[in-house]
């Protein structure tokens, strides 16, 4: 791992050198600082915050002001990683001008170094408008959570046996449209590995997979899934590298027990009577 600051052009170099790119979501200062210290290349302030931080059923209610709020905290923690902020639902679909204004807010007010938009051909004009003023754009194709109602749930896209004929071809066109509009990387979510492999071969820019198999140029996970910080099991594609929900529950139970039993606070948890005795 290099200690050098990760910048947008580094991703193309990493793809060329076949160095896997790592991205995790982060929504606050402590986790962003931990992940940055551990060498995660990109920190994504995802609109998934609606689900994993606020307990909502989907990502649709998140506002641009809320993403700015969380991006500020993550950007403050950043030393090395590249900070990418998600553009929430309806912050970029209404017009390319509105998309540009909102992307600019994420950079100016949030401290993001890049923004991420879901979609392909349909949002290519907005992507071109944003990249024309040198705000780097990451695309997102496949299972796009902001399309949850069209998809009929958070469903895997582009299966060979899928119900939407032409879906695989459309996703290849979407990826190509994002590249042509100036995107520097594309998240590929919730597709079979064979399709992720095809998309990765179809575009020259790096792909970053989530639930898309091993053949993308990088991987991204939602931090709560990676840390086992959800009440229910993480999705099949997401490996929990820790079980923090259980650890937090055990810690909170110990705290409750010790207070009830008058074991906490103990003398070592109390301030000294005089300053001279204080540690
Ligand atoms: O919002 C998010 O966390 C995302 C990731 C799933 C890529 O878009």
């Amino acid at each position: 791992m290099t200690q050098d600051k990760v910048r947008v052009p580094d991703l193309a170099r990493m793809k060329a050198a076949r160095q896997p790119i790592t991205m995790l979501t982060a929504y606050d200062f402590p986790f962003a600082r931990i992940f940055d210290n551990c060498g995660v290349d990109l920190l994504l302030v995802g609109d998934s915050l609606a689900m994993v931080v606020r307990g909502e059923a989907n990502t649709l209610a998140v506002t641009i002001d809320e993403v700015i709020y969380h991006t500020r905290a993550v950007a403050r923690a950043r030393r090395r990683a590249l900070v990418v902020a998600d553009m929430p639902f309806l912050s970029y679909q209404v017009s390319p001008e509105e998309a540009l204004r909102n992307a600019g807010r994420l950079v100016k007010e949030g401290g993001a170094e890049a923004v991420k938009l879901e979609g392909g051909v349909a949002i290519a004009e907005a992507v071109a408008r944003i990249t024309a003023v040198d705000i780097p754009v990451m695309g997102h194709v496949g299972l796009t959570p902001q399309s949850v109602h069209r998809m009929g749930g958070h469903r895997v896209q582009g299966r060979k046996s899928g119900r939407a004929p032409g879906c695989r071809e459309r996703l290849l066109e979407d990826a190509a449209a994002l590249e042509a509009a100036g995107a520097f990387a594309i998240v590929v979510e919730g597709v079979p590995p064979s399709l992720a492999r095809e998309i990765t071969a179809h575009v020259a820019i790096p792909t970053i997979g989530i639930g898309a198999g091993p053949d993308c140029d990088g991987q991204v996970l939602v931090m709560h899934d990676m840390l086992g910080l959800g009440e229910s099991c993480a999705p099949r594609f997401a490996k929990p590298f820790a079980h923090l929900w259980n650890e937090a529950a055990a810690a909170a139970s110990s705290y409750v027990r010790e207070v009830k039993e008058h074991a906490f606070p103990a003398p070592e948890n109390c301030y000294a009577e005089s300053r001279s005795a204080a540690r």
Side-chain angles (χ1 to χ4, degrees), residues 34-94:
I34 290 168
F35 300 156
D36 188 287
N37 282 347
C38 292
V40 173
D41 298 313
L42 294 99
L43 298 174
L44 171 65
V45 185
D47 58 1
S48 52
L49 72 91
M51 300 171 76
V52 295
V53 176
R54 297 204 316 228
E56 292 178 25
N58 60 51
T59 61
L60 298 180
V62 174
T63 67
I64 190 83
D65 288 319
E66 289 162 350
V67 178
I68 289 170
Y69 172 89
H70 288 277
T71 304
R72 264 200 214 124
V74 169
R76 233 173 262 134
R78 160 198 48 208
R79 289 179 174 139
R80 174 184 173 272
L82 187 84
V83 173
V84 182
D86 242 345
M87 295 200 67
F89 179 57
L90 279 198
S91 70
Y92 58 94
Q93 292 94 338
V94 175

Side-chain angles (χ1 to χ4, degrees), residues 7 17 40 68 86 98 131 176 181 183 200 203 230 232 247 254:
R7 300 180 198 280
V40 173
I68 289 170
D86 242 345
E98 212 169 305
T131 56
T200 301
V203 294
S232 47
E247 287 193 35
S254 299

